[in-house]
């Protein structure tokens, strides 16, 4: 093994020991790793949330300016949306965008939550986000900003 591989192996062993000491995983004698039940449940919940987001993600051709689309800005509350929060997908965002700059861009609409879309493996920003707007009228206002810089 070269020095780089040795360093990675050492880091891996240290990480596994730390996770074992925090009871987040257990290492069996045969070398298999088992996540604790709470970690497994968290992963399941995360997967379900991702599947729900994937179902509501609209597809559109790429363009030069940021685009804002919504599923139903004036829809009445449903079982999945009892508080009537409207989720918008915003694409083609610059990589330098921040939460503050996005909130400023969408003001006077009240943004309640921003979910940045990132690569699962690397954690890099994809240039798009889901934005939750407080009211359907604010969502309609935010949609009217489509193409604005």
């Amino acid at each position: 093994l070269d020095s780089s591989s040795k360093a990675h192996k050492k880091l891996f062993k240290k990480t596994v020991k730390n996770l074992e000491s925090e009871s987040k995983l257990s290492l069996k004698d045969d070398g298999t790793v088992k996540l604790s039940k709470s970690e497994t449940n968290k992963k399941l919940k995360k997967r379900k949330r991702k599947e729900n987001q994937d179902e509501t993600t609209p597809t559109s051709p790429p363009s030069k300016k940021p685009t804002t689309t919504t599923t139903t800005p004036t829809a009445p509350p449903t079982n999945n949306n009892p508080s009537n929060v409207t989720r918008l997908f915003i694409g083609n965002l610059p990589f330098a965008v921040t939460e503050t700059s996005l909130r400023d861009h969408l003001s006077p609409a009240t943004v309640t939550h921003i979910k940045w879309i990132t690569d699962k493996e690397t954690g890099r920003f994809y240039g798009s986000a889901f934005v939750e707007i407080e009211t359907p009228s604010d969502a309609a206002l935010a949609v009217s900003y489509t193409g604005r810089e």
Side-chain angles (χ1 to χ4, degrees):
L1 295 175
D2 62 351
S3 61
S4 173
S5 296
K6 287 179 182 178
H8 286 101
K9 188 175 180 180
K10 220 179 221 186
L11 180 63
F12 176 77
K13 283 183 177 181
K14 183 178 177 182
T15 304
V16 169
K17 284 183 181 181
N18 285 340
L19 290 172
E20 276 185 303
S21 67
E22 294 171 6
S23 300
K24 292 185 177 182
L25 66 81
S26 60
L27 187 59
K28 297 182 179 180
D29 292 333
D30 63 353
T32 58
V33 175
K34 182 177 179 185
L35 289 175
S36 67
K37 192 167 191 140
S38 63
E39 291 297 311
T40 307
N41 288 341
K42 287 179 187 177
K43 287 189 180 242
L44 287 174
K45 287 178 185 176
K46 187 176 180 180
R47 186 179 303 140
K48 284 181 184 177
R49 266 188 266 132
K50 184 179 183 330
E51 287 172 359
N52 288 340
Q53 284 179 352
D54 289 344
E55 291 172 5
T56 60
T57 304
T59 57
S60 60
S63 65
K64 295 285 181 186
K65 297 183 178 183
T67 56
T68 306
T69 56
T70 184
T71 51
T72 51
T74 58
T78 63
N79 291 342
N80 294 336
N81 192 8
S83 61
N84 207 20
V85 173
T86 306
R87 183 180 294 157
L88 304 176
F89 173 81
I90 301 180
N92 287 342
L93 293 170
F95 288 95
V97 71
T98 63
E99 187 170 335
T100 305
S101 64
L102 187 56
R103 285 181 191 272
D104 290 345
H105 178 75
L106 296 173
S107 67
T110 307
V111 176
T112 58
H113 181 72
I114 298 174
K115 169 81 169 129
W116 302 104
I117 308 301
T118 56
D119 183 78
K120 201 177 214 178
E121 293 179 9
T122 64
R124 292 185 63 198
F125 177 56
Y126 269 148
S128 56
F130 284 99
V131 179
E132 288 183 6
I133 307 290
E134 190 171 46
T135 64
S137 58
D138 280 353
L141 179 65
V143 170
S144 71
Y145 295 154
T146 300
R148 187 176 87 168
E149 291 188 18

